[in-house]
Amino acid sequence: MREDWLKRFADSPDVLKSAQRQQTVVPVLDLEIGGGEFVTMAGPCSVETESQLMATAHHVRQAGAHILRGGAFKPRSSPYAFQGLGLEGLKILAHARRETGLAIVTEVMSEDDVPMVAEYADILQIGSRNMENVALLEAAAHSGRPLLLKRGLVATIADWLHSAQVVLDHGNPNVILCERGIRTFETATRNTFDVSAIALLKQISHLPVIADPSHATGVRDLVPAMACVAVAAGADGMIVEVHPDPAKAWSDGDQSLDFAGFDEMMSAINPYIALREIASRGMKRRASLREANEMLLAGAAK
Ligand code: PEP
Ligand code: MN
C-alpha cells in the first residue's frame, strides 16, 4: 500500500489492511461477502405490495441474485413522495425470505427503529443521507447485524472511512462499503459513479466493497455497463434495483431494471467475472514465480 495513503487515512486505522487483517469476510446466512465470489443483491427500491415483492424475489433468485433488497423506510428527496410501508414492508420482506431463502438487506433510518428492522433484516442498510449520523451508526453497530454503509452524497473517501471506523469502534466488524455515486457538476446522470473509489478501497481497506450502479447513474440503460465496470474494478458485489414494471414503480423507476433487463445484465457480467478470476490466478502465479526467483538468487549469492 502507498505510504501516503497510510498517512492520509491514518485516523481510520482499523479499516486499513494490515499484516493481520487482509480481508474481512462478512457472513450472511450461508453466503460470504468479501470471500472472492461476486455477490448480487437485487430487488425493488421500495417494498410496495406483497405481489410486487414476491414476483421480484422469485425472479431475481432464479436469475442468480444472492440477496433481496427492498426499502420499507425510504429517505426521499421530496417530503411529499412515498415514504415506505414501514413495519408492513418489513413483514412482506420476511415473507419473501421464508419463501425464497434469500437474505434481506433493508434500510434503517432512525436509531429508534434499529431493534425492529434488525429483527427482519440480515443486513442493515445505512443510506447515503445518514452516512454521518453517528447515533444511528452506533445503534446499528450494537444490533450485531452486518451493515451496508452507503457513501454519503458529498462524502470523501476519508469521511466514509471515518463512519466505518465508528462502527468498528462499537464492536461490529461486519461493515460492507457501498459506492453509490457522488454529487458532481454533471447533471445528465443522477450521480457520478466514482469507480476509482472502489479500486482505491480494494487496495487500502480489508472491508468488502460493493457498487450500486442504479443510484450511481439514475438511468436504467447505464446500469449494465456500470455493473461490468464494478466487476473489473474489483468490487465484491453489487446492489441493483429491479421492478416487475419500472414505469409504475413508486420510487426510482427510471433506474430500475425490468426482469428481462436484469437477466441480460446478469449474463453481461459473467465474462468479466471469469476474466477477473483468470487475472487473479495470473497475479498469484507471477507472485510465486517472483518469490522462487528471489530464493534462487539468495541461494546463489551465498
Ligand atoms: C436506496 O437504496 O434506495 C437509497 C435510497 O439509496 P441511497 O441512500 O444510496 O440514496
Ligand atoms: Mn432507490
Side-chain angles (χ1 to χ4, degrees), residues 44-46 69 71 73-76 107 125-130 148 150-151 153 178 180-181 190-191 212 215 239 241 251-252 255:
C45 177
S46 304
R69 67 148 287 152
F73 294 90
K74 296 304 303 177
R76 302 304 305 282
E107 177 160 356
Q125 178 173 324
I126 305 292
S128 246
R129 291 155 194 79
N130 269 317
L148 179 72
K150 288 197 148 195
R151 182 178 186 177
L153 277 74
C178 177
R180 49 77 75 204
R190 182 177 179 182
N191 291 294
D212 176 346
H215 293 86
I239 181 162
E241 288 184 342
S251 60
D252 286 351
Q255 67 195 32

Side-chain angles (χ1 to χ4, degrees), residues 110-165:
S110 141
E111 67 254 41
D112 298 337
D113 294 339
V114 167
M116 176 174 61
V117 181
E119 217 183 289
Y120 293 90
D122 299 289
I123 303 173
L124 295 180
Q125 178 173 324
I126 305 292
S128 246
R129 291 155 194 79
N130 269 317
M131 187 204 81
E132 289 176 294
N133 181 342
V134 174
L136 176 62
L137 291 172
E138 291 181 8
H142 291 145
S143 75
R145 292 285 189 211
L147 302 192
L148 179 72
L149 181 62
K150 288 197 148 195
R151 182 178 186 177
L153 277 74
V154 291
T156 64
I157 294 170
D159 297 333
W160 191 9
L161 293 179
H162 291 159
S163 294
Q165 176 74 35

Side-chain angles (χ1 to χ4, degrees), residues 88-217:
E88 190 192 336
L90 294 177
K91 289 186 174 159
I92 298 175
L93 284 165
H95 183 200
R97 185 183 192 271
R98 276 196 306 277
E99 257 199 28
T100 62
L102 288 170
I104 301 295
V105 56
T106 194
E107 177 160 356
V108 58
M109 284 176 60
S110 141
E111 67 254 41
D112 298 337
D113 294 339
V114 167
M116 176 174 61
V117 181
E119 217 183 289
Y120 293 90
D122 299 289
I123 303 173
L124 295 180
Q125 178 173 324
I126 305 292
S128 246
R129 291 155 194 79
N130 269 317
M131 187 204 81
E132 289 176 294
N133 181 342
V134 174
L136 176 62
L137 291 172
E138 291 181 8
H142 291 145
S143 75
R145 292 285 189 211
L147 302 192
L148 179 72
L149 181 62
K150 288 197 148 195
R151 182 178 186 177
L153 277 74
V154 291
T156 64
I157 294 170
D159 297 333
W160 191 9
L161 293 179
H162 291 159
S163 294
Q165 176 74 35
V166 168
V167 179
L168 267 52
D169 279 346
H170 283 267
N172 189 334
N174 293 321
V175 179
I176 304 156
L177 299 168
C178 177
E179 164 59 43
R180 49 77 75 204
I182 48 174
R183 286 241 166 115
T184 67
F185 55 82
E186 182 55 74
T187 52
T189 48
R190 182 177 179 182
N191 291 294
T192 295
F193 185 31
D194 184 6
V195 75
S196 62
I198 296 175
L200 189 156
L201 287 167
K202 288 306 297 173
Q203 292 197 18
I204 65 167
S205 178
H206 56 80
L207 296 174
V209 183
I210 71 162
D212 176 346
S214 309
H215 293 86
T217 58

